[in-house]
Amino acid sequence: MKNKHKLWYIGYIVSAILVPIILFTDFPKTADIGLLILMSIIFSISHTQLMHNRMMKNDIDYKVNVIDERNISIKEKSGNITNMITMVLLGIVTVIFISFDYFIPAIITGVIIAVQPIILIIVSNMIEKKM
């Protein structure tokens, strides 16, 4: 279990490697912005996971709140509602893209809409097997 938590430190290393790449390479400005966003995402996820693991280990109140069945139920319901809203918004964006003749973005958002239920099934099966 400890090795699983140490894996998140790789995110700090990757973020630290991306900083000199951004600063000392001659990539176009859009590539630098993309790398900066990637670095921020990797760093944020790694830091959040490490802090969560540390809090679960050291703070009893935090651990009780995370494991509490009522809080888990609230998170599940809010996640489901958010998922439905996201699907509707993606559908609206797909229609807008089609109306403006932006077919490539419409295809991309349409594929996201089509793949999302498949991902839901796969993830729910994985979680069900864990429990």
Side-chain angles (χ1 to χ4, degrees):
M1 195 72 168
K2 285 185 178 181
N3 291 334
K4 189 176 183 182
H5 297 311
K6 289 181 181 179
L7 181 68
W8 292 109
Y9 286 104
I10 294 173
Y12 287 145
I13 296 167
V14 171
S15 296
I17 291 170
L18 285 173
V19 170
I21 290 173
I22 293 168
L23 294 175
F24 300 118
T25 57
D26 240 359
F27 291 136
K29 189 173 184 174
T30 54
D32 285 340
I33 291 170
L35 287 173
L36 182 65
I37 291 170
L38 178 66
M39 185 215 55
S40 301
I41 290 170
I42 292 171
F43 180 82
S44 300
I45 290 172
S46 298
H47 185 69
T48 302
Q49 284 296 324
L50 287 169
M51 290 303 295
H52 170 73
N53 294 336
R54 195 171 297 140
M55 298 267 304
M56 286 292 283
K57 189 171 153 184
N58 298 332
D59 191 354
I60 302 298
D61 292 333
Y62 180 80
K63 186 174 184 176
V64 168
N65 283 332
V66 169
I67 297 174
D68 183 38
E69 289 180 22
R70 181 177 179 271
N71 289 339
I72 291 172
S73 176
I74 290 170
K75 288 177 198 171
E76 287 175 358
K77 287 182 181 179
S78 63
N80 289 334
I81 292 169
T82 304
N83 187 31
M84 288 187 293
I85 292 170
T86 303
M87 291 283 283
V88 169
L89 290 174
L90 280 171
I92 292 169
V93 167
T94 303
V95 170
I96 291 171
F97 282 152
I98 290 171
S99 67
F100 285 129
D101 292 332
Y102 296 141
F103 292 114
I104 302 296
I107 290 170
I108 293 170
T109 55
V111 168
I112 291 171
I113 292 171
V115 169
Q116 198 166 2
I118 297 167
I119 293 172
L120 176 67
I121 292 168
I122 292 170
V123 170
S124 64
N125 285 337
M126 289 172 55
I127 291 173
E128 199 173 302
K129 287 179 183 177
K130 274 187 176 181
M131 296 190 153

